[in-house]
Every structure is written in structure tokens, then in C-alpha cells.
Amino acid sequence: LTNVMSNETFRSGEATVNFIPENPHLLVPRYEYSKDRATKLIKYLAEVKVNGHPDIKKVDTDKVFRKPLVPEVLETEYPKGTKDLLNEMGRDQFIQYIKNETKIFYTDTTLRDAHQSLFATRLRNHDILKVTEGMAKNFPQLFSLEVWGGATFDVTMRFLHEDPWERLRIIRKAAPNVLLQMLFRGSNAVGYSAYPDNVLEQFIIKSAENGIDVFRIFDSLNWIEGMKHSIKVVNEKTNAIAEACICYTGDILNPDRQKFNLEYYVNLAKELEAAGAHMLAIKDMAGLLKPYAAQVLITELKKHISIPIHLHTHDTSSIQSTTYLKAIEAGVDVVDVALASMSGLTSQPNFNSLVATLKGSERENPINLKKLNEYSNYFEVVREYYYPFESELKAGTAEVYDHEIPGGQYSNLLPQARGLGLEDKFETIKENYKIVNHLFGDIVKVTPSSKVVGDMALFMTSNNLTAQEVIEKGDTLAFPESVKQLFRGDLGQPYGGFPKELQKLVLKKEQPYTEKPNAHLKPIDFEVQLKELHQKFDDKLTTEDLLSYIMFPKVFEDFYNFRKYFGRVEKLPTPSFYYPLVLNEEIIVNLDLGKNIIIKLRYVGEPNEEGFREVFFQINGQTRNVLVKDKA
Ligand code: 3PY
Ligand code: ZN
């Protein structure tokens, strides 16, 4: 039986010969769907219809979304990729292979940093999964796909109501042949504050078990003590690659910015290699590494370390592809890029154009450019769904060399300012960001240290404070909580120490410390806590869920309850997840492999005396209704 049989037009006999060609989805076979699962989803759709999506302030009702074209995948088998090579060769030999190859390797960041930096990390599983298998089959030459970690972990639960572990597992399944990479914030794992060592350890082990092959480990102050433990755990407890970062800030070629000079970075890299890193990442989170600086830095690093070098940047200035060219000439091993339509501005440089540029050059790594363009075209259409989360940046800006705001933070700062009623003062906020950096003694700014600088910049802006006033009135100011945490030592120790005068003003009577931030945190008893988790929620929950709960207790609880009530909203196509359906709009929802249901919005009733509206749908032709409280 197919859905055609329950279609009203078809049953009324009014269908013409064009009816089936025009409505191919009606040929989808019907099956006995779980009423419960479908009911949950229509509760969600009804809620968005009546009250809108809480994350979206203004819907552009004129917007018409195009239909994304999923590129055809011709290969049936997965071609041999880097994951297969790692398995075959083992870690040490694989690392040697990466280092010795002449060709340049690529990491595609489309599924992690690109959307984190362009539209506030909102890319949903639904849009990811349509192309993961195809990307893995078409681009097995990739060094890796960066797909996890950073802000994706909490945002998937918090805003997308998806399980980050599930996301990792399904990506792994769809891309078994290519290395999968994540961003790991050292002592802060994928959170914003330090966790006990045994939580970091368990998190790394579980991430590797669920599919991570490359851990990019950084510390938000470049404090090596914040990274050592994670490097060691990856080394000793997994078969994965520990890629440790030097976070790049300042400008090594600027004589006025010599706090973070060439020698500083080379020393840090040597220490990371000695700590057991298998690869070095230069993490240029704000896109400050200029082309000629990259040439000098890579050349010098190559003289002093023997592990491969992986370069990461953000194209905020619009000139970072030339940084890659200089780095490639200087012998960098891997560069981070994003599919064309997901590249540029606060995201990574353009994958497609770089592949085209290197054609015929000594370090060319041939990749099917036609296919790359097809995947870019797919994301060009998909990206439209996320328009409310895009930053206002229209072109590259040289201002980034001044304010040094990381790409991933930039796309968040404007909404944050808007939330505080400061959106007209964005210029002042950027200026204050720079001023705060100098007040703080010129520090590395990346999650979470960048957030502290941002909080302080917003604080100064909303209170109309100058740098001088911060110092003069400091003993009476109630500094933001995150600023107190930074100066107390909760994020570790900055290079060169904290400015003492400001530290006193911020902390008042409290004493700072210089041990590792998690030195005072009690280890977690996983067995006991898992039991407690089972009691609190249900006994199907796993150690992975416990890790989500330990890191984000409130977010996890909300996610759990949301899913219980609304079900697996990740199954909904993205437009219907974010925007109200229009009357008689139909969507196809794939509940399980090959099991589709068709949901059609039929009617929205007037509010009753208690303010509830009855919303009518058809699910596979059968009428169903739900009651939703109208919050207006
Ligand atoms: C993160 O920590 O999420 C980042 O992307 C830092 O650059
Ligand atoms: Zn980044």
C-alpha cells in the first residue's frame, strides 16, 4: 500500500495523468508507524506553528527555500582512505607517512568549525547526514573530516535537541574510511571550565570509542600544563592521534607586538612535541597569521620539531588563502579548509579554490573538483535555512588585526550584544575587546579566555567605562564572574602572568592560585554517578550520557525532557524545525531507514478559554490533532 491511496485528490478521481509524476513522494510505501513517535513530532510542529521557534525572533515570510541537490554517489564501496591507512600502518608509521608525502593534505571543517563560525553552530544532523557518506566516498584523500567538539557538543543538545554522541556515531558509520577529527579544549574538554582528570580521561576514551581518530588539543592560554594530561591519555589509552596546538595571536613580524614572538611559538612547539604530541596544530583562531609570518613560522618550526604540522585559520581578513600558499611553500603538512559555500569570512579558507589553485603545482593533492563543487552547491542551498544565525559581516575586514576576535566568537558576539540591548554599540564593543586584551596583559584569546575578554568588553560598554576608569574605580566595581574566574586561575596561567594591579582589583580579598585548575576537583566515581543518573532519568542511559550530564547538567536535563516530550526532532527537515508550516504544507519525515511518514498541516483552531489551540494534521492521510497553549 502506498500513500497515493489516502491522497484526497487521487481518491476523488480528479487526478490527471500528471498527478503521479508531480507527486512522486506519494509512492513512498506506507507502514505502520509508531503512533507515539509521530504524535511527539506533531506536538513539536504545532508548537512552532502556534508560538514560533524560540531561537528565531523574526521570520522572513517571503523567503522561499530552494531544494538542495544531494550529489549522486557512484561508488558502492568506500575507497581506501586515511582511516584505513592509520589502521594498517599504526600510529607512528602513519605520522611518518603524512610527514614524508610531498602532496598537501586537507582537513574539511564544514561539519564543525565552518558552521560554528558562520551560523552559531546550528547545522543539524538532518543536513549533515545527507552528504557524509558521499563526501567520504568522493574525497578519501582527505586527511580528516573535522566533525565534532568545540561548541558543537553543547549546542547540539541545547539548541538542536540532538544527542552529540549519536551524531558522532552516525557520522562514523557514514564515513568509516576517513579520519574523524574533534576539537578538545584541554582541561575544559568540550566545556567552558575545568573538569577532573578522570573526567577528561573518560571523555577521551569514549570519544575514541565512538569514532574520533584525531584529537586537536588546545589550552585557551597556551598553558602547557593544561594540555599535558590530555596528550598523555590519547597516547596511552587510545589508538588515536594527539594533535596539540599552539594558539597563534599577535604578529611575529610586528616589532611592536613581540610578547608572542617567533621564539615563544617555537619553544611551545618543542614542549608539546616533548609532551608526546603526534602532530602540531597552529591554531590561528582569529585569522591573524599573515602570509609572510606563516612562511617564517613554518620554516622555523620545521627546523625544530619533527612531527607533522597542521595549519588552521579563519578567513576573517579574506587574505588567508595566501597564508596557506606561503605555508604550503614552507612545507606545512595539512591545512584546514571548508567547502566553498561554507568558507570565507569568519570560517576557513575555500577548499574548492585552493584545490584549483594548486593544480599542476609540486604539492598538488588531486581531488575531484567537480564533485567538490557539487557538495558546495548542496551547502549553498542548505545554508539558507540558517539565515537567522548568520553574522552581519559581508566582506573580509582588516579590523580583525586590531580587535583579534576569534572567528567562532565573532558570529556570536552580535547576538550577545543584541541580548543586552547593545547592538548599536558593536563598534565600541570591538574597540573595547582590544582595550580589554591590553588591560589583561595581552593574552591568548580562544574559548574560554576569549569569552572572558568578550564579557569584560560588554561590561565596559554597558557601563560606559574607559580603561582608566576600570583601574581607578576597580575596587568598587563588581567585575563579571568570568573575569574573576580568569584572574583567580580557573583557566590556568597566562604567559608572563596576570597584571598584578588589575588582579587585586578584580579579586578584592580573594587569593589567586597557580596550580592546575582541576587540581582541587575531586575525581568522579563513574559507577556511583551512573547509578544516580539511572535513578534520576532512566536506566538506559550510558557512560556517554553521564559525561554529557557531568559537563552540562542543566542542558542535559532539558535535552532529556525535551526529547521525552517532543521525540526525535532531528528527523524533521530543517525548514520545518525552524519555521512554522503553512496550511496544507506537507513534509516527509524519515523515521527509520526507509520508513517515511508524510505530515501535512491542515488547520489551526482559535484559542479556547484557557488559551489552547487545536492544531490538525494528517499523518499518512489520517487526521490527528494536538492542543497547544498559545503563549501570545
Ligand atoms: C572552540 O573552542 O569551540 C573553538 O572553535 C575555538 O577556536
Ligand atoms: Zn577555528
Side-chain angles (χ1 to χ4, degrees):
L1 206 58
T2 64
N3 291 299
V4 176
M5 305 312 277
S6 57
N7 181 276
E8 279 160 37
T9 313
F10 191 80
R11 287 164 63 127
S12 70
E14 284 166 22
T16 66
V17 287
N18 289 329
F19 181 77
I20 293 294
E22 280 167 6
N23 297 279
H25 62 276
L26 294 179
L27 286 177
V28 172
R30 269 177 75 176
Y31 82 106
E32 279 309 310
Y33 59 85
S34 146
K35 295 251 184 325
D36 186 45
R37 286 204 290 170
T39 307
K40 285 177 178 176
L41 291 181
I42 61 171
K43 276 198 263 184
Y44 178 83
L45 294 169
E47 179 63 37
V48 172
K49 178 68 189 170
V50 171
N51 294 310
H53 189 288
D55 231 11
I56 295 175
K57 297 283 165 293
K58 219 165 64 202
V59 177
D60 178 353
T61 45
D62 291 336
K63 208 152 192 107
V64 182
F65 296 122
R66 285 178 289 159
K67 210 171 144 35
L69 207 65
V70 177
E72 205 181 347
V73 186
L74 298 175
E75 295 80 0
T76 44
E77 304 279 317
Y78 284 92
K80 190 170 180 175
T82 41
K83 169 74 172 166
D84 303 307
L85 291 178
L86 175 65
N87 288 348
E88 257 173 51
M89 295 177 174
R91 193 156 58 188
D92 294 343
Q93 212 195 326
F94 177 76
I95 294 297
Q96 280 311 310
Y97 156 76
I98 294 295
K99 199 184 152 195
N100 293 338
E101 274 293 321
T102 305
K103 66 184 178 219
I104 186 72
F105 285 96
Y106 300 103
T107 289
D108 178 87
T109 65
T110 305
L111 306 182
R112 204 287 296 181
D113 205 5
H115 72 95
Q116 178 172 332
S117 300
L118 290 175
F119 44 86
T121 330
R122 296 306 204 275
L123 191 64
R124 301 174 63 243
N125 275 357
H126 195 268
D127 299 321
I128 291 175
L129 286 176
K130 288 215 165 102
V131 288
T132 315
E133 177 188 335
M135 286 172 74
K137 286 184 170 171
N138 280 301
F139 315 124
Q141 310 89 329
L142 283 169
F143 171 75
S144 65
L145 288 164
E146 195 204 31
V147 298
W148 214 57
T152 63
F153 192 88
D154 67 297
V155 170
T156 45
M157 286 190 284
R158 199 190 293 266
F159 296 117
L160 309 182
H161 316 291
E162 296 178 5
D163 178 352
W165 297 99
E166 237 168 60
R167 172 178 293 192
L168 176 55
R169 283 191 292 270
I170 47 190
I171 292 177
R172 173 80 285 170
K173 195 154 172 248
N177 57 335
V178 177
L179 295 179
L180 296 184
Q181 180 159 344
M182 78 168 289
L183 183 67
F184 190 79
R185 298 168 177 155
S187 330
N188 309 316
V190 289
Y192 301 86
S193 61
Y195 298 100
D197 275 346
N198 79 331
V199 171
L200 302 179
E201 179 171 325
Q202 199 52 237
F203 191 91
I204 289 171
I205 291 170
K206 285 292 167 194
S207 303
E209 273 178 28
N210 282 276
I212 293 297
D213 304 302
V214 182
F215 289 84
R216 177 175 287 170
I217 300 163
F218 74 96
D219 178 83
S220 82
L221 296 170
N222 272 346
W223 195 44
I224 184 128
E225 295 306 320
M227 295 183 263
K228 273 185 183 162
H229 180 70
S230 313
I231 297 173
K232 189 162 177 274
V233 173
V234 174
N235 241 312
E236 293 174 2
K237 302 272 163 94
T238 76
N239 296 318
I241 293 168
E243 183 183 276
C245 294
I246 53 178
C247 293
Y248 183 85
T249 191
D251 180 359
I252 54 171
L253 296 185
N254 180 350
D256 302 330
R257 289 296 301 281
Q258 286 299 301
K259 175 170 178 180
F260 299 99
N261 59 17
L262 184 59
E263 197 191 347
Y264 164 83
Y265 292 115
V266 171
N267 285 338
L268 188 57
K270 288 200 295 205
E271 285 184 71
L272 291 168
E273 181 174 30
H278 306 115
M279 291 180 67
L280 180 82
I282 302 169
K283 180 168 165 56
D284 179 20
M285 57 280 170
L288 304 176
L289 182 64
K290 295 171 182 170
Y292 295 110
Q295 186 177 33
V296 172
L297 181 61
I298 306 275
T299 305
E300 204 57 24
L301 286 170
K302 281 275 165 190
K303 286 186 203 153
H304 289 95
I305 58 170
S306 59
I307 51 179
I309 302 176
H310 193 159
L311 179 57
H312 173 85
T313 193
H314 289 252
D315 202 19
T316 315
S317 70
S318 82
I319 211 136
Q320 293 310 91
S321 42
T322 57
T323 290
Y324 278 179
L325 290 182
K326 283 292 168 195
I328 290 166
E329 285 171 17
V332 76
D333 300 279
V334 193
V335 292
D336 277 8
V337 285
L339 285 171
S341 61
M342 294 284 285
S343 75
L345 299 175
T346 48
S347 173
Q348 273 65 59
N350 188 318
F351 191 1
N352 308 42
S353 303
L354 191 61
V355 166
T357 299
L358 292 176
K359 188 153 186 65
S361 75
E362 196 191 335
R363 300 203 61 196
E364 175 182 8
N365 184 353
I367 296 200
N368 185 338
L369 187 56
K370 185 169 171 291
K371 277 285 166 204
L372 268 187
N373 289 339
E374 287 177 19
Y375 283 91
S376 169
N377 291 343
Y378 166 83
F379 277 106
E380 182 174 284
V381 176
V382 162
R383 187 172 163 181
E384 275 295 303
Y385 302 154
Y386 300 90
Y387 73 87
F389 306 103
E390 295 263 356
S391 87
E392 243 98 301
L393 207 59
K394 293 283 182 289
T397 171
E399 261 182 16
V400 70
Y401 300 118
D402 221 35
H403 56 60
E404 304 186 340
I405 300 173
Q409 180 172 30
Y410 198 97
S411 73
N412 239 320
L413 205 57
L414 191 61
Q416 229 183 319
R418 204 174 279 140
L420 295 167
L422 295 174
E423 72 180 295
D424 296 337
K425 298 207 170 152
F426 200 53
E427 296 307 312
T428 317
I429 292 167
K430 286 187 281 184
E431 184 61 26
N432 279 339
Y433 193 97
K434 172 187 176 161
I435 291 171
V436 171
N437 180 45
H438 287 285
L439 267 176
F440 285 7
D442 192 2
I443 61 169
V444 173
K445 295 166 291 299
V446 62
T447 320
S449 63
S450 51
K451 183 179 173 300
V452 183
V453 174
D455 289 349
M456 183 68 192
L458 291 167
F459 174 77
M460 285 174 69
T461 309
S462 59
N463 292 296
N464 272 321
L465 290 168
T466 63
Q468 202 185 343
E469 285 166 336
V470 169
I471 299 295
E472 282 171 9
K473 301 181 186 166
D475 52 353
T476 60
L477 290 176
F479 287 89
E481 196 48 41
S482 66
V483 177
K484 290 187 216 163
Q485 288 164 347
L486 170 75
F487 280 89
R488 191 191 298 147
D490 287 356
L491 270 52
Q493 299 300 309
Y495 178 57
F498 289 107
K500 290 281 168 282
E501 187 188 6
L502 183 60
Q503 189 174 35
K504 276 216 178 70
L505 293 169
V506 170
L507 293 182
K508 319 272 188 292
K509 293 207 169 60
E510 209 182 341
Q511 284 306 308
Y513 64 91
T514 56
E515 303 90 276
K516 275 188 2 172
N518 66 4
H520 307 288
L521 301 177
K522 275 224 293 282
I524 297 282
D525 186 332
F526 279 93
E527 225 172 287
V528 170
Q529 289 235 7
L530 193 58
K531 277 207 188 97
E532 284 172 15
L533 194 77
H534 288 167
Q535 271 156 16
K536 191 171 162 77
F537 300 101
D538 69 67
D539 54 15
K540 286 197 199 69
L541 297 186
T542 60
T543 304
E544 283 84 343
D545 299 313
L546 177 58
L547 286 161
S548 305
Y549 180 67
I550 289 169
M551 265 181 275
F552 298 99
K554 173 80 170 68
V555 172
F556 179 84
E557 186 166 351
D558 289 349
F559 160 70
Y560 181 90
N561 291 330
F562 186 101
R563 186 173 257 192
K564 223 170 152 177
Y565 190 76
F566 288 119
R568 301 202 159 242
V569 293
E570 71 269 23
K571 305 280 183 191
L572 295 170
T574 299
S576 64
F577 176 78
Y578 281 124
Y579 312 102
L581 293 177
V582 292
L583 283 189
N584 292 320
E585 185 173 350
E586 259 182 10
I587 56 168
I588 302 179
V589 181
N590 178 235
L591 281 185
D592 267 322
L593 216 57
K595 292 184 175 172
N596 291 330
I597 54 170
I598 297 172
I599 300 179
K600 181 177 189 173
L601 175 66
R602 293 294 289 156
Y603 176 72
V604 182
E606 290 302 313
N608 65 15
E609 273 165 25
E610 282 93 46
F612 284 87
R613 287 178 187 267
E614 209 165 358
V615 185
F616 290 80
F617 292 89
Q618 276 175 356
I619 304 177
N620 286 356
Q622 294 171 357
T623 301
R624 304 284 293 277
N625 61 325
V626 283
L627 275 177
V628 176
K629 172 106 183 151
D630 190 334
K631 295 177 185 143

